[in-house]
Amino acid sequence: ELKVEQNPLFLSMQEGKNYTIYCNYSTTSDRLYWYRQDPGKSLESLFVLLSNGAVKQEGRLMASLDTKARLSTLHITAAVHDLSATYFCAVDHFGNEKLTFGTGTRLTIIP
Amino acid sequence: DTAVSQTPKYLVTQMGNDKSIKCEQNLGHDTMYWYKQDSKKFLKIMFSYNNKELIINETVPNRFSPKSPDKAHLNLHINSLELGDSAVYFCASSQGGPAETQYFGPGTRLLVL
């Protein structure tokens, strides 16, 4: 069974700092997603990574995928308070008709 | 112009009751899903329908029964509600299968007393 783990589970950081969230998964996958969820809200799609070495950037967020290491990272540059949210990665397993979500990383940016 | 909508947003009910949650998408997507998010924010697929046909049915108690009257709607009926059913239920949709980006509804917060 596909397992998707994120770390850290909780992250508190100061504005202006950089940090990285990690997403590890246990079996081969053909694509990986990052979602954002604000408190009490729905999930919003951020990135989809389709191949080994894929890198996507949007504002202060950059996501990358290493399919050989079965690892994706979400890097936050010069964090601002608006980025406070829970971030989920989700993996689509070959031949499996579903997405498996990671445990989520709850990010709090402190002014 | 909401893409994926759910009703109700909040549902508070007693144990043993039967309740339904409705979901509609106006994106023209072929596939719709129900997810359960527990108190620890863990998100797990429950069901998936493609063009009204059930394609994913995870190990969910048979008290939960999805119904898709057409490809734009996927409703979730829950019989004999239990305390452990308290969670947020999200509907989502995608063009094509689960490998496509999924768009989530606002969620239905269910509290069973």
Side-chain angles (χ1 to χ4, degrees), chain A residues 18-31:
Chain A
N18 303 334
Y19 210 82
T20 301
I21 298 170
Y22 298 88
C23 173
N24 287 92
Y25 52 96
S26 59
T27 58
T28 24
S29 168
D30 51 351
R31 59 187 73 194

Side-chain angles (χ1 to χ4, degrees), chain A residues 1 31 33 35 37 40-43 45 48 88 92 97-99 101-103, chain B residues 35 37 41-43 45 55-56 58 90 98-102 104-106 109:
Chain A
E1 185 185 334
R31 59 187 73 194
Y33 299 83
Y35 283 87
Q37 185 179 32
K41 302 288 186 186
S42 186
L43 281 86
S45 175
V48 53
F88 291 92
D92 167 48
E97 292 289 327
K98 66 179 183 181
L99 280 188
F101 278 78
T103 45
Chain B
Y35 286 88
Q37 187 173 45
K41 303 292 184 191
F42 187 65
L43 197 66
I45 183 81
I55 56 172
I56 293 174
E58 289 293 285
F90 286 101
E100 304 293 328
T101 298
Q102 295 182 23
F104 283 75
R109 282 147 189 82

